[in-house]
Amino acid sequence: MLELEFENSVLTAHLSGELDHHSAAVIRKKIDSKAEMLKPKTLKLDYRDVQFMDSSGIGLIMGRYRQMSLMGGNVEVTNVPPHLKRMFSLSGIETLGVMK
Amino acid sequence: MKYINEVKLNFPAKSANEAFARSAVAAFTMQLDPTISQLADIKTSVSEAVTNSIVHGYKGAGGVIYITVRISDDNVLSVKIRDKGCGIEDIEKAMEPLFTTGGEERAGLGFAVMQSFMDSIKVSSKVGKGTTVTLKKKITKDDP
Ligand SMILES: Nc1ncnc2c1ncn2[C@@H]1O[C@H](COP(=O)(O)OP(=O)(O)O)[C@@H](O)[C@H]1O
Ligand SMILES: [Mg+2]
């Protein structure tokens, strides 16, 4: 599930529930169409309420990172809960410099 | 070592069934009294394998996914996920972290996750015939 919020050129996506290939496809489309419309400087992905995710949750970040780079913006990932930490460190996603 | 319980699931390779597949395997695993973290590892790994069959094996065009879950008398959970999709040409290469043929939204991490979250993974595949992934994890009480 997804809630989007826009303020001061920051588009924040609050993700919640289960993030897999199925739900990530829906979420990606919604974020991308909002971002194309609003041209935010920063896209913030808030993982606080994500209860489950597989590597699709990492793919979602990598894909948005590419999209935002093309538009001259950046991505920030916030509030990764403890139970997702292993997936994040395994992915090496920190090297993108998006973890806040 | 002897198998003491078994369940089989067959379902169409639709992405809407990813949640069903991992939840069903998790429900069957409950009789081993796993920790929350062991259960999360199993759900995540099953999700990876099932997604791979849908996205890569059948290339989104549909087919059937076959899962066999077994429990042995030494508390080992074994999950076999099989598709009759395109198969994998070079398994070793496919299993390298970050390797993907799936384009922008795939992280290339599915096999790395299965390797890290389960005790063992076995992949057998034949081009044009399909792929079988067998995941195993021992569920012990004192393990975190
Ligand atoms: N069931 C399968 N059938 C065919 N190819 C597969 C299957 N599972 C994995 N692969 C191949 O292995 C690669 C790596 O898989 P994985 O590590 O899960 O990363 P990803 O799914 O992000 O591409 C895939 O891109 C694909 O080429
Ligand atoms: Mg995968």
Side-chain angles (χ1 to χ4, degrees):
Chain A
M1 273 217 296
L2 172 72
E3 255 175 64
L4 290 165
E5 209 180 306
F6 185 63
E7 208 188 323
N8 298 329
S9 344
V10 178
L11 177 62
T12 304
H14 299 282
L15 310 169
S16 62
E18 308 218 328
L19 202 48
D20 61 12
H21 157 254
H22 183 72
S23 61
V26 179
I27 288 168
R28 175 201 5 158
K29 280 184 201 129
K30 288 186 178 160
I31 294 176
D32 286 358
S33 69
K34 260 279 164 5
E36 256 162 58
M37 212 168 72
L38 299 169
K39 305 262 187 278
K41 279 211 180 79
T42 301
L43 170 66
K44 216 178 250 185
L45 300 170
D46 183 1
Y47 275 70
R48 194 189 60 200
D49 296 321
V50 176
Q51 266 133 30
F52 168 90
M53 78 171 218
D54 60 22
S55 66
S56 309
I58 300 293
L60 185 75
I61 300 171
M62 291 165 56
R64 303 298 66 65
Y65 179 82
R66 274 191 209 100
Q67 293 292 103
M68 287 301 293
S69 301
L70 289 175
M71 296 194 290
N74 63 302
V75 171
E76 288 182 8
V77 178
T78 57
N79 298 321
V80 175
H83 65 98
L84 300 182
K85 285 270 152 72
R86 229 159 24 108
M87 174 70 79
F88 273 80
S89 62
L90 183 94
S91 74
I93 193 92
E94 309 91 69
T95 58
L96 287 184
V98 294
M99 305 304 295
K100 286 282 134 48
Chain B
M1 191 275 292
K2 210 174 79 209
Y3 290 119
I4 54 172
N5 203 358
E6 180 188 86
V7 68
K8 285 175 189 279
L9 307 164
N10 298 346
F11 54 92
K14 293 179 189 296
S15 66
N17 286 331
E18 289 159 7
F20 161 76
R22 62 177 179 264
S23 304
V25 173
F28 186 71
T29 307
M30 287 312 287
Q31 59 198 283
L32 287 171
D33 198 15
T35 63
I36 290 172
S37 135
Q38 288 168 335
L39 210 55
D41 289 354
I42 292 159
K43 281 177 76 175
T44 310
S45 302
V46 170
S47 199
E48 297 293 351
V50 169
T51 300
N52 280 353
S53 291
I54 295 170
V55 174
H56 307 298
Y58 292 120
K59 298 191 183 340
V64 179
I65 294 174
Y66 307 83
I67 297 184
T68 304
V69 198
R70 284 170 163 170
I71 283 168
S72 62
D73 58 0
D74 55 355
N75 275 29
V76 174
L77 177 83
S78 132
V79 190
K80 193 158 91 181
I81 299 118
R82 185 163 71 96
D83 66 61
K84 296 183 178 173
C86 67
I88 304 174
E89 217 173 272
D90 185 342
I91 296 175
E92 218 175 300
K93 189 164 177 194
M95 291 181 79
E96 278 172 19
L98 305 183
F99 176 85
T100 182
T101 55
E104 302 245 311
E105 296 293 325
R106 311 297 318 153
L109 290 170
F111 281 127
V113 166
M114 292 183 252
Q115 263 169 330
S116 148
F117 286 21
M118 301 295 280
D119 293 345
S120 74
I121 171 174
K122 199 181 86 192
V123 182
S124 59
S125 190
K126 218 171 173 174
V127 174
K129 290 264 187 246
T131 301
T132 304
V133 173
T134 308
L135 304 166
K136 287 188 179 175
K137 194 175 184 71
K138 192 173 174 89
I139 308 297
T140 46
K141 297 282 166 293
D142 35 79
D143 228 40

